[in-house]
Amino acid sequence: MRKFIYLLLFLFVNSLLYSQALPDISINETFKQTSLSKVIRILKNKYDVKIAYDDALVTGITIDGQFTNKSLSAFLDEILPSKGINYQVLNGKIILTPGQINIDLQTPSLFDLTVFGMIQDAQTGEMLPNALIRVAGENRGTISNKDGFFSLSQVPTDTSTIEVTYLGYKKNTVKLDPNKSKQTLRISMAENTVDLAEFTVVDLRSDNTIQYGEEISQISIDPNSLSSLPSLGELDIFRSLQLLPGISGTDETSSELSIRNSPSSQNLVLLDGFTIYRLDHFFGVFSAINPDAVRDIQVYKGGFGPKYGGRISGVVDITGKSGNFNKPEYSFGINLLSARMSINAPLNQGKGAIHFSTRRAYTDVIRSSLFKKLYKNYRENSNQVDDQGNDNSLRPNFHFYDVNLKTTYNVSKRDIASFSLYWGRDELYTDFDQITGSGASMITENTDEIAEWGNLGIGGIWSRNWSKNYYSSFQVAYSGHNFDYLFESEERNENSQVTNAYSATRLNDVSDFQINYKNELKFKERHQLDFGLNVSAITTINDVTIDEQIQLPFGEREQSGGIFALYASDELRINKKTRLNAGFRYTATNLTDNNYFGRRLGLTYQLTPSIKLKFSNGQYYQLARQVLYDDPRSNLQDGWNLACNTAFGALNSEHLIGGINYSKNGFMVDMEYYQKNVSGLVEYTVSHMFDQSMPNDTQPLVTESVGEEKIRGLDVLIQKKIGPYHGWLSYTRSKSSSIYPQINDGQSIPSRLDQRNEAKFVHVLEFQKFNVSATFLYGSGRPFFKPELNFIRDNGGTAINYEILNLNKTVERLPTYHRLDISAALKFENEDVRGDFGISILNAYNHKNIQNRRLNVSAIERAINNREEPSELYRDIVLLDFTPSIFLNLYF
C-alpha cells in the first residue's frame, strides 16, 4: 500500500512538473462520431503531439464536438475524462491511462522498445514460422522466422498490446507487462475450431485461407484449410496451389506447377531448405510431398528476394512439421489408391520433438477402378501406344512411396538443431502383348516399359538467436534426383516377322551438395539486413537414346561444377507507411566463363490502413535447368542439365511487378500486373527426314535453337470469409510469346504455356459435423503446334513414307477448358479418436477436356503399311472424366 501511495505522489509531482511542457498549440477541429484512435492520429500528424496509449483503451470510443482555439490541455480535459480516460505527461509524452485502474500495472516506463519472442502451437509446442506480429492498431509489423522467433522494433511502450495472427489459428493478443519488458515473450497460438454456437458471429476465423505476405507476390497458405478441397483422396499440396491466381490449374497434373506462364523447372521448390527436383508421383497424378509432413507454405510468384536463387520464375518454400513437444500424436489415412500414417512425439521431456510420416500406393496389390482409369490416362498421353485393346491385357506393376522424418531439439534457449529427411520413389513395370486383326492382317505387338524415379533430400540445420537483433543459421544439405526410363515396342506380322520396332531410353540424375549460411540483423530500429552465402557442388547425368540413333544432349553426358552465391538485402522502413527492400545476389561458377549479378528492389506503401501499393523489380539467373526436347514421335521427358560454354549458358529473366492490395473485415482484393522477359531458352527440335537410301525409314535431324520469351499478365484475387464460409475467386489475364530463330523463320509465336484467360472459383463451408466444398476452373485454349507433314508417294500416288518437318509449325488453339469438382466429408470425434470420412468427385459433369494433341504415329504408319491413305493424323489427349474417390482420415 505504501509503494502505491509513493507511486501516486511521484506521478502527481511529475504531472505538475511537466504539465507546462505541453505544446503551446491551438486545436481547431470538428468531430462527428469520430473514433478516438483517429482523433489521436490527427493530433500526432497534424499537431505533432506525442501520445502513447494502449489500443484496447481507446477501442470503441468516439468523439463529438466543435473545438475552436482550444489549448491542448483544455482539449484533452474536455474529451477524455467523460470517456473514463486520464492522461499524464512523462518524458515529454502524453500517456493515456484508464480512469479507475491500478496505475502500477498500466503506467509505461519504457518507450520505443524492441520486443523479442517466439510463436508456438499451444497444443504441440511446435514453433510457427511466418506468423505476423504487430502492435495492435498498426499495420506495421514483422514475421517470425523459420524457428518461430521474432523481433518487433519501435513498440510504443512497454504496456502496448501485441497482436499475433497465423493462418489457420485464432488471433492472439498479448498485453506487455512493464515488470517483464526485458524477458523473451513466448506466445502460444490455438488452432481455429468450428462451434455451432458461434454461427451468430460474423467472422469465425481471424484470417483468410490465403494471405499476402510482407514481400511482393508472396502468398501464405494454410494447409489445414486446403484439406477440405476436392482431391483424389487426400490433400494434394501442388494441385491445391494451382487454385491461386497466376498458377495454372488447367493441366490437372501436380508436376506442372506453372507459375506465370513459366514451366515448373524454372521454379525453386524447397522442403526444409533442400531442393526438390521432381514434384510428382504417378506421372503427375500426385504431389511428391506428403501433406501430413507440411507445417507452412510460402509461395513467391515473382519478384522474390535475394535469399532465394538458382531459379528465374517462382519459389515454393515448404517448412516441414517438427513434431509434438508435449505429447504423442498419431494419424492414419486411406483412399482408393494409397495409405499413409504419421507420428508426432516429444523427445527428452519436451526439449525436442520428432515427426515421422510415410505413405505408399498399394496399386501393385489392388488395382482399383480409379487406378485403372488414371493409368489408362497416362498411357494415352504417350505417343508410343495408341490403343490398349482389351483392358485384361494391361497388367502394370506400379507403386510409389515416400518417407518424411524430422527431428528438432532445443539445445539451449538460443540454439535449435534440426535434421530433415525426405525420400520418395516411383516404380513401374509393364509387359503386355496385344493382337489386332486376324489371318493375313494379324499384327502382334509386344511392349515393355520400365520406369523408376525419385527424390532424396537430407539436411541438418543449426540456428542461433544471438540477441534480439541478430539471428543466424547454418545448413548442410543434399538433394538427389534420378529418372530411369526404358520403352521397347515391337510389331510382328502373321509370319512373326518384325514390321515395326521402336525403343527409347532416358537417364537423368542430379546430385546437389549444398552449404547455406543465413543471417538476419536488425539495427537502428528501421533497418533489417539479411545476408548470407550458398555453396553448391552439383553433378548431372543426361542421356537419351532413340532407336540407337540419337543421343542427347550434344556434348558431355556427365556435367559437374561448383556454384558460389553471396547475397544481401536491406529492408528499410522509410516511415510508418513506406518500406523499401533493396539487395543483390552475386553468383560465381566454373560452369561458364561468366559470373552473374542479380539486383533486387521492392517497395510497398501503406496508402490507408486498408490499402497497400507495391512495386518490385529484379534480375534472375538459372544454371541448373531443363532443356525442352520436342520430338513428335517420342514421349521422352525433359531432363536436368547444367549451363556450360559449349552448349548453352544460363537462363536469364527480368521481373517487373506493380500491384494494389485492399483488405478489411475479412474481405480482400489483390491485383498485380507483371512483366517477365526470359532469355537463354534452349529447345532441341527433332525432325524426321526421308532418305532415299532408306525408303522404309526416316533419318532424325536435331536442331538446337536458342530463344526468348516475353510474358505479360494481370493476377486478381477476391477473397471473403463470413461465418462458416470462406472462398475466393482468382483470375489471370496473360499473354506469352516466344521467338526462336530456327523455328518458323524466327517469327514470334505463342509460347507453349500461353493461356489468355484463366478463372478459378473456390467455395468451402465448414460446420461442426461436416464440410462441403466446390471448385470450378475455366481456361481458354492453349496453343497446339502442328508440324509440317510431307508424304512420300510412289508413281501411283500411294503414300509409302512420310517426313516430319518440325521447324515449320502451324499454331492452333485447343478447345476451352472447364471443370467442376465437389467434395463432402463427415466429421466424428470421441475421447480417443477424431476423424473424417468423405467423397470427392473430380469433373462432376463429365466434360471432355483436351490437354493436347499428338501426332498419331501408329495410325499413320499402319495406314502406310496397308497402302491406305493416312487420315487420322492427330489424336486428342483427353484429361480426366467423371472421377469419384473416397477417403478416411483418423487422428489419435
Side-chain angles (χ1 to χ4, degrees), residues 736-740 743-744 747-751 785 809 811:
S736 176
S737 59
S738 60
I739 296 177
Y740 290 88
I743 298 175
N744 283 25
Q747 297 179 1
S748 177
I749 59 176
S751 67
F785 301 97
K809 304 175 185 290
V811 182

Side-chain angles (χ1 to χ4, degrees), residues 879-892:
L879 293 166
L880 289 176
D881 56 8
F882 180 85
T883 306
S885 179
I886 59 175
F887 57 88
L888 171 66
N889 298 310
L890 301 174
Y891 305 92
F892 305 92

Side-chain angles (χ1 to χ4, degrees), residues 22-37:
L22 286 174
D24 184 17
I25 59 176
S26 296
I27 307 297
N28 293 280
E29 300 290 341
T30 300
F31 300 114
K32 294 182 179 179
Q33 292 296 313
T34 304
S35 67
L36 180 54
S37 60

Side-chain angles (χ1 to χ4, degrees), residues 701-763:
L701 175 64
V702 181
T703 303
E704 178 183 327
S705 303
V706 179
E708 60 184 28
E709 277 187 345
K710 292 184 178 180
I711 301 170
R712 307 288 185 269
L714 175 69
D715 289 344
V716 179
L717 176 71
I718 302 174
Q719 184 176 209
K720 178 64 180 176
K721 62 181 180 65
I722 179 170
Y725 169 82
H726 61 99
W728 68 86
L729 160 66
S730 65
Y731 171 73
T732 298
R733 170 70 177 178
S734 64
K735 181 180 181 181
S736 176
S737 59
S738 60
I739 296 177
Y740 290 88
Q742 290 82 7
I743 298 175
N744 283 25
D745 296 324
Q747 297 179 1
S748 177
I749 59 176
S751 67
R752 296 178 182 276
L753 297 177
D754 178 53
Q755 188 172 44
R756 300 301 169 85
N757 297 280
E758 185 177 88
K760 289 159 277 195
F761 300 83
V762 179
H763 306 279

Side-chain angles (χ1 to χ4, degrees), residues 512-524:
D512 187 1
F513 292 91
Q514 292 197 17
I515 295 176
N516 295 294
Y517 181 52
K518 300 180 180 180
N519 301 268
E520 299 173 9
L521 176 63
K522 290 189 176 182
F523 57 97
K524 294 185 178 179

Side-chain angles (χ1 to χ4, degrees), residues 545-562:
T545 304
I546 302 175
D547 284 337
E548 301 181 354
Q549 297 184 49
I550 303 178
Q551 290 187 343
L552 293 176
F554 300 127
E556 297 181 1
R557 175 179 179 269
E558 179 175 340
Q559 298 174 280
S560 62

